């Protein structure tokens, strides 16, 4: 390019940017006619122009940063230059000295000047010339955010205001301390000390996230440690309110972040969520433990470069990144800490820890020597709980009676609005009185039975009474149907609702809106009965009619939208549901107000659907909004607050954050027990949800207590086919399995299966889960033939249900059962199928493929095709080693099966290095998260000692392992071939 | 579409914005004055640093202006005029910072500077623009377009306002802004900052 060319480019560039936006392309085309190169040059410049503001901002700070560095590097001779700010007053503060300067303002050390009390603060004053409206708005928002953040590990806001010239300021807690890494280096802090400081930071972040505040720029230099040893997180100035009504991302210019600590989505300029902070926490932990940056900062100077690095490479686990001068010995990091850090640093936000507390929880478990949650599932059976949803109105018994009264009162009120319906209201009121005249608690056995009995009796009376006018009868039928629906008695409700519709249609004077309501009711009932094909036209028709007849944002339209969404969701069309729910929510916000209690219900439904769509982080945030609204409007002990707590707790439970879920559910339970009493089904639902969390926390005693209590309540108060009874039974069954009490678990699991089959059909995912669970128990109880039948059913049915085809795990499970019965050829074919499925889904180098390969090799070993078996054991180990180079995968799980095979072939010389490696890998991690592997290793090592003529020594080792293994009933089926034989061999001796 | 409309616009651009003569303010500072500017810049900068504990950035615009306040009465500076002086100080600042950045690159720092306090929001952004690369790109720009090269030097290293530059270059502010916009785009492209979306 020469000057002339540049001038030409400039001319075209100027002409294009001067042209109106929609004409630019045309101008460019016309001016560059016949000169494609010129056009490319100008286009490149135009593209650059879009980024130019950002560049200016970055160039500013690059210059300022370098100047600061230069000034520091310049030779030292303290220069007592007059501090122009000394003793300058800002509000009640006297500025002492400047302690920092950033893009937006200057920070001073200040002291209280009004003598009110002695206090120092870091005072942030917006720069003169920077007080544009946008900065001002941001500053004010910052001030509000900070005011909400009162936490021992967050530098908190003390005060804020405006100085005389109109610039805003705020004073923050002045933290006298050292940056995290400097502090740890100076103290030669050990692993525990480092982790404990980091846990403080996690607590601070968790707290801020609870307030819907994301930090966005967590990094070691933003964490100060005081002389007292408290970590304090600084600079929530760039935090963005999660519930910021402006929403959206802030523009590129306002992207203050540090590329080396920024999450991929942040580098891409995508919306920042709590998961972004989890990533940054992971990056801080990485450096805190290894002394190395997760992303070498020298190479990650721009967001683009950092992103390229992140997307190109695989992160080395911290234990491998630790260099010669690492602060801690790498062996301390190997295993669990590697796993924890890498989980926090997952590229996909969904795969990181769901919360800072979940991350902290794993670190605490690590410190306590307990198994961490981040570990991969061991292959084979996975016990699953059914996921519960908690909506208001899924009620029973007393609540149903209350709902009935409310519904009838509403009907009466509605009727009164229209004078011509005065008779309707009278009849309804009479019926209401008649219905409840027998409701005296003294004459009834229990509230719930009363409700159902009342309804049954009332319905009979209604049918018998021929004097009731059709419109009155229709309304009564609808009301009773609604109440049956709330009780979960859909079969009783449906004919009544249909009769109501027929009555309405017979009367030509009847308004269309009533017919729409009736269609909606029937459609919703059919939806609840899972008859989606019939439900759909009714629900959509009702919505269309209501839209045509009723004012915009009418509650009936909102209700219709909610029902349509529930249908879409039930059919698996979560996107469709999302659209409908967004409409419903927007309408509710307009009709009831954004902070209205009624709106909270739609917020909740919207969040549930987000959950279904896998947008867990967003769902969490929105559940919290609903909770906040309910707490604010209704106080802390209201029933609706309990519903919100249940939703939130169930969400956290499903996210694996059991520790956070437990207190929420405990609170929900306490509220419900208080509001509804201890024997109410709603109290039982809360108990059941809590029991599920206790199971996940391995608190089996607590789990059983809650689950049994819930089950007792349900059996006494709910219709016998109620799904929550199944859930409670399933929980008890799986807990028994977790305790290896297979004998007790079998009848429970059988009942669960029978109930699921009846309620949901043979191919429903929950039915298949129930089958798998029962098969697991049967298999461990040695009832292989029974297990086999179920497993074959699962494989035959599963593909039809989920559209994803047969799961490899199902094939592996069946293959195991077949092996136990000597059907090796078929077992091999199923294992081969599992390998093929996993290879196709996840590629050859994947953990699940390696798991499947081991399964195949085991089958081949038992079939006596040893060459094949050895090849596949080694292939699995090779995959494991490849994974180990880049992921958090343990090698022992691949070494052990090969070693087992080799010992079985009396090839101890080859097995021993593997066995030693397993011990080296597992020993430092005591107490063990996988005691089985070490015990198996012990048996094999003992065998090798015996083979090497150290009989006594070997037997001691083996007997010790045998004693411990025998404590686990059914364990023999979980062992590899040689170890299983060695365990059994003792019995014969 | 009517192509002539745009042809007319092009003509207008040319007539309006290419001045017949160009004021030259490219002279170097006398060596001793440069020395004094340098010393003074460093003294003021250090003073700010000490006063501030350890801020992450210095306000170089303020620095350059302070140097002027300090030195404008000196005999050899008096004749130069404010704007001219500032432009020369900006050049000194460019030399200082780019030299320092080069030196720092050679030393290869052992980890980022640890920054204390509430102020390091922009610390990460330091890394986004490499001053040495910027200097090279600026030199390329100046070879193509001397006026734009000056403008960028004053603006980026001296923090001079568009109005001050317009005065120096005896151009309208509008023209300076056009120059600035093009130059900025040129640099962004040269530095490879335009490749990805913000």
């Amino acid at each position: 390019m020469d000057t002339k060319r540049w001038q030409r480019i400039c001319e075209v560039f100027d002409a294009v940017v001067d042209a109106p936006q929609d004409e630019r392309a045309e101008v460019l085309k016309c001016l560059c006619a016949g000169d494609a190169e010129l056009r490319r040059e100008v286009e490149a410049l135009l593209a650059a122009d879009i980024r130019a503001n950002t560049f200016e901002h970055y160039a500013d700070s690059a210059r300022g940063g370098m100047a600061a560095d230069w000034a520091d590097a310049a030779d030292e001779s303290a220069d007592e230059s007059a501090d122009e700010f000394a003793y300058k007053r800002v509000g009640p503060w006297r500025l002492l000295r400047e302690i920092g300067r950033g893009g937006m303002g200057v920070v001073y050390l200040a002291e209280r000047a009004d003598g009110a009390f002695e206090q120092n603060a870091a005072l942030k004053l917006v720069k003169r010339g920077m007080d544009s409206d946008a900065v001002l708005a941001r500053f004010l928002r910052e001030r509000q955010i900070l005011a909400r953040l009162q936490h021992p590990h967050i530098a908190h806001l003390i005060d804020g205001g405006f100085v005389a010239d109109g610039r805003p300021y705020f004073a923050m807690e002045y933290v006298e301390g050292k940056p995290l890494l400097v502090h740890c280096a100076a103290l030669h802090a050990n692993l525990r000390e480092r982790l404990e400081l980091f846990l403080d930071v996690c607590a601070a972040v968790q707290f801020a996230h609870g307030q819907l505040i994301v930090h966005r720029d967590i990094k070691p230099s933003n964490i100060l440690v005081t002389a007292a040893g408290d970590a304090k997180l600084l600079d929530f100035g760039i935090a963005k309110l999660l519930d910021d009504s402006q929403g959206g991302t802030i523009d590129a210019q306002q992207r203050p972040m540090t590329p080396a600590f920024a999450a991929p989505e942040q580098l891409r300029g995508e919306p920042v969520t709590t998961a972004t902070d989890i990533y940054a926490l992971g990056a801080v932990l990485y450096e805190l433990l290894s002394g190395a940056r997760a992303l070498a900062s020298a190479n990650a100077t721009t967001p683009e470069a950092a992103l390229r690095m992140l997307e190109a490479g695989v992160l080395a686990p911290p234990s491998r990144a630790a260099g010669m001068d690492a602060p801690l010995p790498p062996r301390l990091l190997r295993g669990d800490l590697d796993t924890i850090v890498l989980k926090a640093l997952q590229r996909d936000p969904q795969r990181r820890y769901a919360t800072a507390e979940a991350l902290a929880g794993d670190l605490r478990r690590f410190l306590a020597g307990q198994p961490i949650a981040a570990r991969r599932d061991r292959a084979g059976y996975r016990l699953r709980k059914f996921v519960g949803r908690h909506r208001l109105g899924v009620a029973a018994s007393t609540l149903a009676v209350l709902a009935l009264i409310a519904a009838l009162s509403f009907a009466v009120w509605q009727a009164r609005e229209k004078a011509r319906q005065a008779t309707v209201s009278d009849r309804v009121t009479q019926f209401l009185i008649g219905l409840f005249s027998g409701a005296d608690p003294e004459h009834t056995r229990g509230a719930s039975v009363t409700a159902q009995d009342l309804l049954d009796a009332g319905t009979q009376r209604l049918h018998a009474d021929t004097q009731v006018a059709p419109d009155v009868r229709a309304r009564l039928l609808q009301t009773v149907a609604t109440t049956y629906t709330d009780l979960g008695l859909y079969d009783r409700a449906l004919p009544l609702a249909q009769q109501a519709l027929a009555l309405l249609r017979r009367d030509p004077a009847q308004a269309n809106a009533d017919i729409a309501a009736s269609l909606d009711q029937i459609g919703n009932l059919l939806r609840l009965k899972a008859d989606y094909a019939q439900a759909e036209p009714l629900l959509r028709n009702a919505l269309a009619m209501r839209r045509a007849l009723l004012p915009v944002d009418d509650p009936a339209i909102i209700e219709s939208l909610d029902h349509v969404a529930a249908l879409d969701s039930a059919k698996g069309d979560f996107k469709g549901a999302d659209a409908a729910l967004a409409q419903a929510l927007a309408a509710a916000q307009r009709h009831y107000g954004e902070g209205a209690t009624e709106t909270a219900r739609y917020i909740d439904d919207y969040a549930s659907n987000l959950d279904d769509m896998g947008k867990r982080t967003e769902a969490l945030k929105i559940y919290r909004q609903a909770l906040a609204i309910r707490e604010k409007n209704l106080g802390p002990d209201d029933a609706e607050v309990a519903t919100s707590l249940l939703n939130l707790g169930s969400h956290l439970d499903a996210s694996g954050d059991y520790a956070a879920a437990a207190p929420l559910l405990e609170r929900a339970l306490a509220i419900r027990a208080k509001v509804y009493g201890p024997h109410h089904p709603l109290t039982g639902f809360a108990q059941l949800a809590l029991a599920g969390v206790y199971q996940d926390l391995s608190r089996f005693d607590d789990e059983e207590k809650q689950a049994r209590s819930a089950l007792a309540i349900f059996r006494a108060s709910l219709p016998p086919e109620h799904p929550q009874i199944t859930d409670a039974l399933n929980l008890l069954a799986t807990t028994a399995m977790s305790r290896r009490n297979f004998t007790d678990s079998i009848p429970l699991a059988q009942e669960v299966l029978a109930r699921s089959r009846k309620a949901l059909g043979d191919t429903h995912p929950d039915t298949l889960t129930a089958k798998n669970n029962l098969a697991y128990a049967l298999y461990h109880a040695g009832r292989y033939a029974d297990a086999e039948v179920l497993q074959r059913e699962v494989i035959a049915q599963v593909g039809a249900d989920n559209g994803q085809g047969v799961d490899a795990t199902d094939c592996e499970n069946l293959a195991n059962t077949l092996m136990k019965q000597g059907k090796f050829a078929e077992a091999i074919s199923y294992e081969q199928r599992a390998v093929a499925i996993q290879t196709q889904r996840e590629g050859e180098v994947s953990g699940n493929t390696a798991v499947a390969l081991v399964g195949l090799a085991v089958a081949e070993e038992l079939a006596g095709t040893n060459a094949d078996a050895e090849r596949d054991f080694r292939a699995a180990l090779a995959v494991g080693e490849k994974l180990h180079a880049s992921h958090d995968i343990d090698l022992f799980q691949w070494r052990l099966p090969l070693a087992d095979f080799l010992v079985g072939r009396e090839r101890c010389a080859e097995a021993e290095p593997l066995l030693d490696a397993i011990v080296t890998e597992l020993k430092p991690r005591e107490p063990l998260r996988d005691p089985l592997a070490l015990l198996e290793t012990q048996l094999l090592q003992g065998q090798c000692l015996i083979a090497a003529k150290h009989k006594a020594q070997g037997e001691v080792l083996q007997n010790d392992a045998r004693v411990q293994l025998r404590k686990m009933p059914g364990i023999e089926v979980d062992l590899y071939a040689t170890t299983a034989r060695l365990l059994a061999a003792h019995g014969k001796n | 579409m009517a192509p002539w409309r745009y042809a007319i616009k092009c003509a207008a651009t040319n007539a309006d914005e290419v001045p017949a003569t160009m004021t030259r303010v490219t002279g170097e500072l006398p060596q001793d004055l440069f020395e004094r500017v340098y010393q003074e810049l460093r003294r003021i900068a250090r003073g700010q640093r000490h006063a501030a504990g350890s801020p992450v950035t210095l306000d170089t615009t303020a620095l350059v202006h302070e140097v002027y306040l300090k030195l404008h009465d000196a005999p050899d500076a008096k004749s130069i005029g404010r704007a001219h002086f500032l432009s020369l100080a900006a050049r000194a600042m460019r030399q200082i910072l780019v030299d320092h950045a080069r030196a720092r690159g050679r030393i290869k720092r052992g980890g980022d500077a640890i920054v204390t306090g509430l102020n390091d929001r922009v610390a990460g952004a330091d890394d986004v623009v490499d001053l040495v690369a910027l200097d090279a790109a600026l030199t390329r720009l100046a070879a193509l377009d001397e006026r734009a090269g000056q403008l960028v030097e004053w603006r980026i290293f001296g923090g001079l306002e568009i109005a001050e530059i317009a005065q120096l270059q005896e151009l309208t502010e509008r023209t300076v802004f056009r120059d600035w916009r093009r130059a900025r785009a040129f640099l962004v492209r040269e530095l490879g900052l335009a490749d990805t979306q913000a």
Side-chain angles (χ1 to χ4, degrees), chain B residues 3 10 46 66 74 130 133 138 176:
Chain B
C10 291
R46 245 189 15 240
E66 269 190 61
D130 176 345
L138 179 49
V176 173

Side-chain angles (χ1 to χ4, degrees), chain A residues 589-668:
Chain A
Q589 284 171 334
R590 284 188 298 263
H591 185 82
Y592 300 112
E594 296 211 349
T597 311
E598 292 88 342
T599 306
R601 187 191 136 197
Y602 296 100
I603 295 179
D604 238 16
D605 286 356
Y606 183 63
S608 300
N609 192 60
L610 286 176
D611 243 350
D612 289 334
M613 292 169 81
K615 296 185 177 177
R616 304 195 58 81
T617 324
E618 221 177 316
L620 177 66
K621 171 183 109 182
I622 297 174
Y623 279 132
R624 288 199 201 280
Q625 281 176 16
L627 176 60
I629 290 174
R630 285 169 170 160
E631 278 186 322
K632 181 165 175 258
N633 295 348
L634 306 165
D637 294 331
D638 186 87
E640 286 197 38
V641 171
T643 302
S644 253
L645 288 167
L646 265 171
N647 278 322
L648 200 52
S650 304
H651 169 95
L652 291 169
D653 182 25
S655 305
D657 191 354
Y658 315 128
L664 294 178
L665 295 176
E666 280 160 2
R667 207 182 125 202

